Amino acid sequence: MEISTLATYHCLAFVWFFFVAYSIAHIRTEERPSEVFLYAGQWKYLTVLNLVLQAVFYGVSFLADVLRLIKKLRCAKCVISSRDLLFSVLAFPVSTFVCISFWTLYSYNRELVYPKSLDRVIPFWLNHAMHTAVLPLALLEILALPHRYPAKRKGLILLGFVAFLYISWVLWIYSVTGEWVYPLFALFSPPGLAAFFAGSLAVIVSFYNFGEFLNRMIWGQSKF
């Protein structure tokens, strides 16, 4: 794509994710199901955190495009490095994980991840904006331009660190409220929950590897 086309695309994607994140963050308090929006509100859900992540990523991408358009190449190089690191380590694998894990569990038993009580609060379009559209947009980003991936060890360490932070957040919320972020977690014993978290980490690592594979197949090998 030409830089001007990329800038338009990244700007529209940024506005879209900002709008979706704003929409879910401003659900009126009186409409929120009490069994869902407890301590930490929406900010305990990976889906909502992913919306913020995507908005940040596309904002950085748009900034990189603008800097290239106005020939600020030295600044653009630094921003592009941040853009590629964000996409490779977080934006692509997390979006893929959110979409596939959500719809897999939803198909099995929606009450484990998205109780029916949410249907009267979250519109149909917003549900799909949060859980469905994120994957096609991530794939489109891979097709739109090449991204430099970090060395595998560096990338996986960063991804694992972020996963550790989110798991710690989930456990902290449970320690404070006595309620799990997702009802699914209540089905597991402590060893079972540890195995579930480990399995989830393995899945998201596989999505990281898949993104790197697609990028390499389409654009060739390019690393930091």
Side-chain angles (χ1 to χ4, degrees):
M1 285 189 188
E2 293 186 359
I3 299 176
S4 58
T5 305
L6 281 173
T8 302
Y9 156 61
H10 286 141
C11 181
L12 291 174
F14 167 74
V15 171
W16 167 250
F17 279 111
F18 183 87
F19 169 70
V20 174
Y22 179 88
S23 298
I24 194 66
H26 286 78
I27 294 174
R28 288 183 295 179
T29 304
E30 63 271 17
E31 293 180 347
R32 299 175 183 177
S34 59
E35 72 274 18
V36 176
F37 297 110
L38 296 170
Y39 182 84
Q42 295 97 320
W43 305 111
K44 59 177 173 281
Y45 298 112
L46 184 60
T47 294
V48 179
L49 296 175
N50 180 55
L51 294 175
V52 176
L53 168 64
Q54 300 305 316
V56 170
F57 164 70
Y58 283 105
V60 171
S61 298
F62 177 61
L63 176 60
D65 298 334
V66 170
L67 290 173
R68 291 171 68 194
L69 282 171
I70 63 176
K71 308 300 183 182
K72 298 289 186 179
L73 299 182
R74 183 174 297 179
C75 294
K77 184 177 181 180
C78 179
V79 177
I80 288 170
S81 295
S82 300
R83 178 201 69 189
D84 289 346
L85 192 63
L86 266 175
F87 181 77
S88 60
V89 175
L90 294 176
F92 182 83
V94 174
S95 287
T96 308
F97 181 81
V98 164
C99 180
I100 292 178
S101 62
F102 174 82
W103 288 112
T104 299
L105 292 169
Y106 185 99
S107 300
Y108 173 72
N109 182 355
R110 65 170 297 176
E111 294 299 318
L112 297 177
V113 290
Y114 194 82
K116 196 171 180 60
S117 58
L118 286 175
D119 287 345
R120 70 175 187 270
V121 178
I122 299 177
F124 178 80
W125 72 266
L126 186 53
N127 180 20
H128 282 282
M130 294 188 297
H131 297 115
T132 307
V134 291
L135 180 53
L137 285 172
L139 293 171
L140 179 59
E141 178 67 19
I142 283 185
L143 294 172
L145 73 162
H147 296 84
R148 292 182 300 164
Y149 271 66
K152 182 64 66 70
R153 185 170 180 269
K154 177 183 177 182
L156 293 181
I157 287 174
L158 289 173
L159 178 59
F161 177 69
V162 173
F164 171 77
L165 289 179
Y166 181 69
I167 291 171
S168 298
W169 177 229
V170 167
L171 295 175
W172 169 259
I173 291 171
Y174 178 75
S175 72
V176 171
T177 67
E179 299 287 340
W180 287 110
V181 170
Y182 298 102
L184 170 69
F185 296 160
L187 301 179
F188 296 105
S189 64
L193 188 61
F196 177 82
F197 285 147
S200 297
L201 180 58
V203 170
I204 202 169
V205 165
S206 72
F207 292 147
Y208 171 92
N209 289 327
F210 179 62
E212 185 179 29
F213 169 78
L214 288 179
N215 187 75
R216 185 171 62 250
M217 289 297 99
I218 296 170
W219 301 105
Q221 188 78 10
S222 183
K223 289 183 178 291
F224 285 111

